[in-house]
């Protein structure tokens, strides 16, 4: 049984019923905000999954705590985004590949002025990445690298030789989250999606640049010492978000929270 728990009327949302959520229904439920009078501004949303006891991974990967419905939403969020922002460790752990074009979203992406698929933007200080992987050698849209001004020149050269576009988003060796958002916006990427991992999400939260969190609550218990969805130092004052909508399917809760 699939169900909707409406919270606001800000977005069109699927109706309760049997069967799986359709892609058009999900695209309406997760639509990015319409541009304001001043034109589009960057909107950064995160998509994460966590178990009932707060684990964001099992055996180092998120797939074991996911579901078919979660993956449909995962694919929909990617299809709506201009760019997917991800940390280097997650690229290594999850075996990231280029985003693929989805025929179901081809017309809507063209109408919105988007590329056939979102670019992948990797946040990395050391550029410790395997540039022979398909993420760099055969993406539909060139992969982006977000790094600091002090990144090793030989690693920057290796990334560019592999076909990646390197963007400087920090004065030192690391990346400033606010500058990363602005660097992507400078390329016309205002519909931003991050899939973590926890270290990157923690940095985005601490910097105050996260606009929205799409959190799947998995009806599983894992115990152990798995990471939470966000790591790193605590913020001085907890960030308050409001519940926008919530879907349910097979015990999984698909929540959407926005800035208060």
């Amino acid at each position: 049984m699939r169900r909707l728990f409406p919270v606001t009327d800000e977005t069109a949302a699927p109706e309760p019923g049997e069967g799986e959520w359709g892609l058009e229904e999900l695209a309406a439920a997760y639509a990015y905000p319409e541009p304001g009078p001043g034109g589009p501004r960057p909107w950064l949303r995160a998509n994460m999954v966590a178990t009932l006891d707060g684990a964001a991974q099992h055996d180092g990967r998120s797939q074991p705590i996911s579901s078919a419905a979660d993956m449909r939403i995962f694919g929909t969020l990617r299809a709506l985004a201009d760019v997917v922002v991800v940390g280097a460790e997650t690229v290594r752990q999850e075996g990231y590949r280029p985003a693929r074009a989805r025929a179901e979203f081809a017309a809507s992406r063209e109408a919105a002025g988007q590329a056939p698929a979102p670019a992948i933007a990797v946040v990395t200080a050391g550029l410790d990445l395997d540039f022979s992987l398909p993420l760099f050698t055969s993406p539909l849209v060139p992969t982006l690298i977000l790094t600091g001004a002090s990144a090793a020149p030989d690693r920057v050269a290796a990334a560019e030789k592999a076909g990646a576009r390197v963007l400087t988003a920090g004065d030192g060796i690391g990346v400033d989250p606010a500058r990363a958002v602005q660097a992507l916006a400078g390329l016309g990427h205002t519909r931003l999606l991050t899939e973590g991992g926890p270290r990157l999400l923690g940095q985005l939260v601490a910097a105050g640049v996260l606009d929205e969190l799409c959190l799947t609550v998995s009806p599983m218990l894992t115990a152990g010492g798995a990471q939470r969805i966000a790591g790193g130092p605590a913020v001085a004052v907890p960030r308050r978000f409001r519940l926008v909508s919530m879907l349910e399917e097979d015990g999984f809760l698909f929540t959407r929270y926005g800035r208060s």
Side-chain angles (χ1 to χ4, degrees):
M1 179 67 179
R2 61 188 179 102
R3 293 183 290 172
L4 163 71
F5 301 87
V7 178
T8 74
D9 59 359
E10 290 185 4
T11 59
E15 296 294 331
E18 299 292 342
E20 64 183 36
W21 303 108
L23 294 180
E24 289 187 6
E25 294 176 307
L26 291 173
Y30 287 95
Y32 280 85
E34 290 295 324
R41 75 166 186 86
W43 184 271
L44 175 60
R45 67 166 37 140
N47 182 35
M48 303 292 285
V49 59
T51 63
L52 296 175
D53 52 350
Q57 302 164 338
H58 184 65
D59 286 338
R61 301 180 66 241
S62 59
Q63 189 276 333
I65 61 174
S66 182
S67 70
D70 185 43
M71 294 310 297
R72 286 199 303 278
I73 291 174
F74 173 93
T76 299
L77 294 181
R78 280 195 163 198
L80 295 174
D82 297 329
V83 62
V84 179
V85 185
V86 64
E89 183 61 22
T90 297
V91 168
R92 292 187 287 266
Q93 290 280 350
E94 302 276 356
Y96 257 61
R97 299 183 64 83
R100 62 187 180 90
R102 301 280 297 275
E104 303 92 336
F105 293 97
S108 60
R109 289 188 67 87
E110 183 177 6
Q114 295 175 296
I120 304 294
V122 184
V123 178
T124 173
L127 286 84
D128 182 18
L129 299 162
D130 183 352
F131 295 119
S132 69
L133 294 177
L135 179 61
F136 302 101
T137 61
S138 57
L140 189 60
V141 180
T143 294
L144 305 173
I145 299 288
L146 292 161
T147 192
S150 298
D154 61 323
R155 297 305 296 163
V156 171
E160 293 176 335
K161 183 179 180 180
R165 182 171 182 178
V166 180
L167 304 175
T168 300
D171 293 329
I173 193 170
V175 173
D176 178 322
R179 285 185 58 179
V181 168
Q182 291 305 316
L184 293 171
L187 298 180
H189 300 322
T190 57
R191 287 157 287 206
L192 311 178
L193 169 67
T194 181
E195 295 167 352
R199 181 180 175 185
L200 174 60
L201 183 55
Q203 293 170 345
L204 299 173
V205 170
V209 297
L210 188 70
D211 296 294
E212 180 181 324
L213 173 63
C214 298
L215 175 64
T216 297
V217 180
S218 171
M220 300 181 189
L221 294 168
T222 64
Q227 291 179 295
R228 297 159 48 198
I229 65 167
V235 296
V237 179
R239 309 288 187 194
R240 180 65 184 263
F241 278 55
R242 58 185 175 81
L243 182 63
V244 175
S245 67
M246 182 166 64
L247 309 179
E248 183 273 341
E249 185 172 313
D250 295 333
F252 284 78
L253 298 180
F254 306 99
T255 67
R256 184 180 178 191
Y257 288 87
R259 282 180 186 270
S260 295

